[in-house]
Amino acid sequence: MARVWFHLIIGLLLLSPVVFAEEPPVPPITTSTSYSLGPVQVGNLSAAPIPPGNPQSGAKIELGKKLYFDTRLSKDNTVSCATCHSPSMGWSDEGPTSKGIDGQRGGRRAPPVSNSAYNPLQFWDGRAPSLEEQAKGPIENPVEMGNTHQAMIQTVGSIPGYREEFLKVFGTSPVTIDQVADAIAAFERTVVTTDSPFDRYAVGDDGAMTPLEKKGLEIFNGKGHCTACHWSGHFSDGRFHNLGVAQTDPSKPDQGRYDVTNDPADMGAFKTPTVRDAATRPPYLHDGSEKTLEDVVRLYNLGGGPDDANLDPLMVPLQLNEGEIKALVAFMTRAMTSVNPEVSNVKPIPQSELPR
Amino acid sequence: MKIIGYTLLVLVGILLVIPDTSSAIPAFARKYGFNCNMCHVGFTKLNDFGQRVRDDGYQIPGQEGREKNVFQVAPPISMRTSTGLMVSHYRKSMSSSFTINGLDLLAAGVMHKNISFLVIYTPRIDEPAGDYSGPDDGANPSQLGGFESANIVFSNLIPDALNIRVGRFEPAYHPFSSKRSYYLLQPYEVYTFTTPNNDFVFDDNQLGVEATGHFPVGFKYGVGVVNGSGGNPDINNAKDIYANVFQTIGRGDGQTAGQRIGAFGYYGWQPTTRVGWYVGNEGSTDGKNNVGFYRVGGDVSLNWRTFNLMGLIMTGKDDKKLNEDYPNADYEFTGGFLRLDWAGLPNNRLAASAMFNWVNYPPSYSRPGLSRTGSGLVRYYLGDWTAVNIALHAEYTYREVVGGDEDHSAAMFIDFDF
């Protein structure tokens, strides 16, 4: 018996390096410390994080707004940021996936710009570490704006009105791609929705939500398991999960986060979107495959989509009944829809009013 | 008299509805900001998500190393107790008593990535402190409390496939946790059944080392080496061993979704000679002349909507040297239970359960040979979206030993934790 114990103890000692070894370096998941540890309770949004390298100013935000709505950023002057991230469509588009120049359709749905300032990583696969980096991507994407950074800079730099504004905001000339990205990102950081019935309920206004919506919130934070990923004031963990969604084109599978990390655990995983204002921008999921919020809840109720290959371990059937589904949808539909006038009243700037 | 007793029960039930709800939440829920029902069907029963968190060493699967550890949260201390009125009818006499039905003081959390702990201290509460007059007082004078659990978990030594738990823990060979059962009066009878001259109680938490693992195909295993009696120190120098396997068909872990079947086995050694209970350097006593015993069984957990049907059958055999009644024959018994749970109302605010237990042992022995128990309960949970951590609990149980006694018990409790 003593011999058995001797070997058991030796075995455990041999295993100990596995436990105590220095963990391999993992790329930081976020520059925002609020997302480094979680989950944390859902609640009100704090102020949007502003990176030290791109401080906000009124002139920069105004410049960014003009660029955001300017189709001249695209190769054929037909597509602006707002084409796929339209204020009237919940800062996304009609979907199911987005349409770029020459009517080309991309493989993924346009993520909302509203509250994107709170995302630690941008794009569905998190390939951009900041809004500034994100803003540069679609300009060069052949399916989206189809331009080059150089050509776009030449176009913007050739417009006297823009030249003047860039000089005023950044104090240097000529216009650079970084300045364009900084200005657009500065504007996007103002698109923040903080005033929903839930926000008022969370600070003590008991009448802000209906009894059904309150039931929905309870299920959202309980039996529905929603806050396992949709947590914090942003209602998103900023992380990546595989929901088992069937591939639109199995011959060209969308590998999601895996394309960025090459980590098999990330195969088919996509970033958790915020639930805030979700009702304003159907359809849902990275490929727009679910038409309504109720469809999304029913997908989760089954424990995810049909693809089991790398299903997230958090996905389990929920056993929600019809009443619970109705309550969850009610909570996400009205109680999570904001009425911030500075965001909901944003109107596209007509091309004729843009700098000339 | 019976009518008065049941009327009293109803009145107490009404009174129990009156207390305000508490906004406090237990340590894990407090850490994450979750409602209790994130991890529980209704506390205390774990749902599939909660089971996966437990299997992952109290970490949310996939978020290891990216959640707050014990040094980054408020002290992870929780408490659970239940109090209420219990009425018993035994041998044609009825008694009733207000009672506190146990107290658990819990601390648990993640210490570092993939290293976590659980401690449950259960102080003795059978009489007020003022009545305690020293070690000669009471039925269990040797201690004033005990550690139901005190263990460290090293998770994901091989991702998902190897987790090691060391200390005192609820062993993996319990297919259904009695510690997280809704039932406050009625245990799983075959778990608590003891045989003559054998200290082993299947229901006890154990001291030792356990390895567990789970795989994406729905397979789980557990193996362990333990003292055997749950005691500290061990009652002999021979360690007991066990193993269990589960297979879940369909998505889920068999707690609230998926269909699960399993098997378990335990082999132990029990001393037949004990001289003076001397505690040796190794922490074991001087129990000698060990003889073997085993417990084996199978279990099934079936889920449909919010119904969960659980079944377990177990057989046990002790060496004849442990059979004080008939020393020429091994002591054999069989038992099991069938339990049906249901959850209803939004967020599972209402839970109901019915259970049938039986244990069958050789009728020729001096003790009667068959016990049967029928039980039922209803629980209603109070609270808000941050926590539903107060349960109004009504439970009834009827037990008979064929050819022997029968008794009825009914209770109304308020069960709460924070």
Side-chain angles (χ1 to χ4, degrees):
Chain A
M1 196 63 183
R3 197 187 194 108
V4 171
W5 280 110
F6 174 77
H7 285 107
L8 185 62
I9 290 166
I10 293 295
L12 285 172
L13 286 174
L14 289 174
L15 274 174
S16 64
V18 179
V19 180
F20 297 109
E22 197 68 33
E23 288 161 13
V26 176
I29 62 163
T30 173
T31 53
S32 168
T33 53
S34 64
Y35 284 91
S36 60
L37 296 171
V40 296
Q41 189 164 346
V42 292
N44 302 106
L45 269 174
S46 53
I50 308 296
N54 188 22
Q56 299 285 85
S57 74
K60 190 191 288 181
I61 293 166
E62 192 56 33
L63 172 60
K65 184 176 179 182
K66 290 171 183 170
L67 292 165
Y68 186 88
F69 288 104
D70 198 331
T71 57
R72 288 172 292 182
L73 269 61
S74 66
K75 183 181 179 182
D76 61 359
N77 296 344
T78 59
V79 175
S80 70
C81 303
T83 303
C84 301
H85 303 277
S86 168
S88 64
M89 295 180 183
W91 298 86
S92 182
D93 63 13
E94 75 277 11
T97 57
S98 299
K99 205 185 285 183
I101 64 168
D102 301 326
Q104 297 179 90
R105 202 169 273 282
R108 295 176 186 167
R109 171 137 188 73
V113 162
S114 58
N115 298 328
S116 59
Y118 295 89
N119 291 333
L121 299 171
Q122 305 295 339
F123 292 116
W124 280 106
D125 55 16
R127 64 182 181 274
S130 65
L131 277 176
E132 286 76 6
E133 286 305 308
Q134 186 279 329
K136 297 174 187 173
I139 297 167
E140 283 198 315
N141 189 315
V143 183
E144 296 181 39
M145 291 181 170
N147 213 341
T148 65
H149 287 164
Q150 190 56 38
M152 184 275 292
I153 292 302
Q154 281 180 351
T155 304
V156 172
S158 68
I159 299 168
Y162 270 136
R163 273 207 306 273
E164 188 181 327
E165 287 198 41
F166 271 92
L167 190 59
K168 181 178 153 196
V169 170
F170 295 102
T172 61
S173 183
V175 174
T176 68
I177 179 63
D178 286 339
Q179 290 172 348
V180 171
D182 283 1
I184 293 173
F187 166 66
E188 290 177 331
R189 286 198 178 91
T190 68
V191 185
V192 172
T193 61
T194 55
D195 187 14
S196 64
F198 165 76
D199 289 300
R200 294 195 290 282
Y201 180 74
V203 294
D205 181 358
D206 193 55
M209 295 203 326
T210 67
L212 185 64
E213 290 163 352
K214 288 175 190 171
K215 274 182 195 165
L217 170 59
E218 184 185 321
I219 295 162
F220 191 89
N221 197 35
K223 185 180 176 182
H225 300 170
C226 311
T227 46
C229 300
H230 296 279
W231 44 260
S232 79
H234 187 33
F235 281 75
S236 167
D237 59 2
R239 298 174 186 170
F240 303 86
H241 304 276
N242 184 328
L243 309 185
V245 176
Q247 294 287 349
T248 308
D249 181 358
S251 65
K252 295 180 197 166
D254 188 342
Q255 302 183 124
R257 180 70 172 156
Y258 174 82
D259 285 339
V260 180
T261 63
N262 286 321
D263 180 350
D266 287 329
M267 180 63 76
F270 296 88
K271 191 174 67 184
T272 308
T274 179
V275 174
R276 284 184 177 273
D277 307 297
T280 64
R281 48 174 175 268
Y284 302 98
L285 306 186
H286 69 277
D287 59 356
S289 56
E290 299 297 336
K291 288 188 172 61
T292 66
L293 283 173
E294 184 178 323
D295 293 337
V296 175
V297 173
R298 290 189 188 282
L299 177 90
Y300 280 105
N301 204 24
L302 295 171
D307 187 353
D308 275 321
N310 190 36
L311 192 66
D312 194 284
L314 302 183
M315 299 297 291
V316 291
L318 302 174
Q319 313 291 18
L320 300 173
N321 61 35
E322 290 301 314
E324 289 169 323
I325 290 171
K326 190 177 169 190
L328 259 182
V329 172
F331 168 68
M332 290 190 287
T333 301
R334 194 193 75 91
M336 286 308 300
T337 300
S338 66
V339 291
N340 293 60
E342 69 277 17
V343 176
S344 56
N345 292 342
V346 169
K347 296 281 186 285
I349 302 174
Q351 297 298 305
S352 59
E353 295 177 18
L354 290 169
R356 295 288 158 188
Chain B
M1 187 64 192
K2 192 181 281 185
I3 292 171
I4 295 171
Y6 288 119
T7 305
L8 192 60
L9 274 180
V10 172
L11 287 174
V12 170
I14 292 167
L15 287 173
L16 289 178
V17 178
I18 293 173
D20 286 335
T21 59
S22 167
S23 60
I25 51 176
F28 287 153
R30 197 159 49 226
K31 170 184 171 182
Y32 297 126
F34 291 163
N35 186 300
C36 313
N37 291 24
M38 179 70 76
C39 291
H40 297 272
V41 182
F43 83 93
T44 52
K45 183 181 178 182
L46 288 177
N47 61 27
D48 295 299
F49 180 90
Q51 185 65 47
R52 289 185 181 184
V53 171
R54 184 179 187 274
D55 290 346
D56 201 37
Y58 311 113
Q59 304 171 109
I60 294 178
Q63 306 205 11
E64 300 85 357
R66 297 191 294 176
E67 58 176 66
K68 287 171 276 192
N69 62 38
V70 289
F71 309 109
Q72 296 162 315
V73 296
I77 296 170
S78 297
M79 189 204 84
R80 182 195 172 201
T81 189
S82 55
T83 183
L85 178 70
M86 186 169 158
V87 179
S88 296
H89 184 268
Y90 181 63
R91 291 186 176 176
K92 298 182 179 175
S93 70
M94 192 167 184
S95 62
S96 66
S97 177
F98 289 104
T99 183
I100 296 175
N101 193 44
L103 173 66
D104 289 340
L105 299 173
L106 306 96
V110 177
M111 302 178 82
H112 301 282
K113 180 184 178 185
N114 289 330
I115 303 178
S116 50
F117 76 100
L118 169 69
V119 173
I120 304 176
Y121 179 67
T122 51
R124 182 181 159 199
I125 55 165
D126 58 344
E127 56 191 287
D131 290 351
Y132 182 71
S133 58
D136 293 333
D137 182 29
N140 183 18
S142 61
Q143 61 181 54
L144 290 172
F147 283 98
E148 181 183 299
S149 293
N151 59 75
I152 291 276
V153 188
F154 300 95
S155 311
N156 299 305
L157 296 169
I158 300 170
D160 298 338
L162 179 62
N163 310 281
I164 301 281
R165 198 177 284 258
V166 183
R168 174 171 282 161
F169 48 81
E170 185 179 27
Y173 61 75
H174 289 168
F176 304 104
S177 169
S178 61
K179 306 293 185 288
R180 291 183 297 279
S181 165
Y182 292 142
Y183 287 89
L184 297 174
L185 299 182
Q186 178 56 46
Y188 298 134
E189 206 142 312
V190 73
Y191 278 24
T192 56
F193 180 76
T194 54
T195 55
N197 219 24
N198 187 344
D199 292 326
F200 175 73
V201 183
F202 189 82
D203 196 36
D204 278 351
N205 280 4
Q206 292 282 5
L207 259 169
V209 182
E210 178 183 270
T212 58
H214 50 276
F215 301 87
V217 292
F219 178 76
K220 283 187 182 183
Y221 76 89
V223 293
V225 182
V226 293
N227 277 350
S229 65
N232 180 24
D234 198 357
I235 55 171
N236 59 12
N237 200 25
K239 300 294 171 278
D240 294 0
I241 56 173
Y242 62 84
N244 74 294
V245 290
F246 291 135
Q247 177 65 49
T248 303
I249 299 152
R251 287 184 181 170
D253 268 36
Q255 295 286 121
T256 45
Q259 319 307 332
R260 193 189 79 194
I261 55 170
F264 57 90
Y266 184 100
Y267 193 89
W269 286 268
Q270 188 70 202
T272 56
T273 305
R274 289 178 248 204
V275 182
W277 289 89
Y278 168 74
V279 180
N281 292 334
E282 296 80 20
S284 59
T285 68
D286 60 356
K288 291 185 175 119
N289 300 319
N290 295 304
V291 294
F293 67 93
Y294 71 78
R295 308 284 184 264
V296 294
D299 57 277
V300 62
S301 176
L302 306 175
N303 288 284
W304 181 72
R305 297 191 174 175
T306 56
F307 288 93
N308 176 212
L309 178 67
M310 293 162 270
L312 178 141
I313 188 164
M314 181 168 86
T315 184
K317 186 179 199 178
D318 291 6
D319 187 277
K320 52 182 169 291
K321 290 177 182 168
L322 294 170
N323 187 355
E324 62 184 11
D325 298 317
Y326 290 84
N328 294 323
D330 292 336
Y331 192 99
E332 297 178 58
F333 70 95
T334 303
F337 59 84
L338 267 177
R339 172 177 161 181
L340 180 64
D341 287 0
W342 171 79
L345 298 184
N347 205 31
N348 296 342
R349 288 272 187 158
L350 184 68
S353 179
M355 180 163 69
F356 175 71
N357 275 276
W358 83 96
V359 180
N360 195 356
Y361 39 99
S364 59
Y365 295 169
S366 59
R367 298 170 63 188
L370 175 64
S371 71
R372 292 188 296 217
T373 308
S375 312
L377 64 78
V378 178
R379 285 167 74 86
Y380 179 74
Y381 294 90
L382 302 174
D384 59 20
W385 67 278
T386 59
V388 281
N389 56 343
I390 301 175
L392 304 179
H393 180 104
E395 183 174 339
Y396 170 80
T397 188
Y398 168 79
R399 184 172 189 275
E400 69 167 343
V401 177
V402 174
D405 293 323
E406 63 180 62
D407 62 88
H408 309 257
S409 298
M412 295 285 285
F413 285 112
I414 184 160
D415 189 7
F416 63 100
D417 61 6
F418 60 87

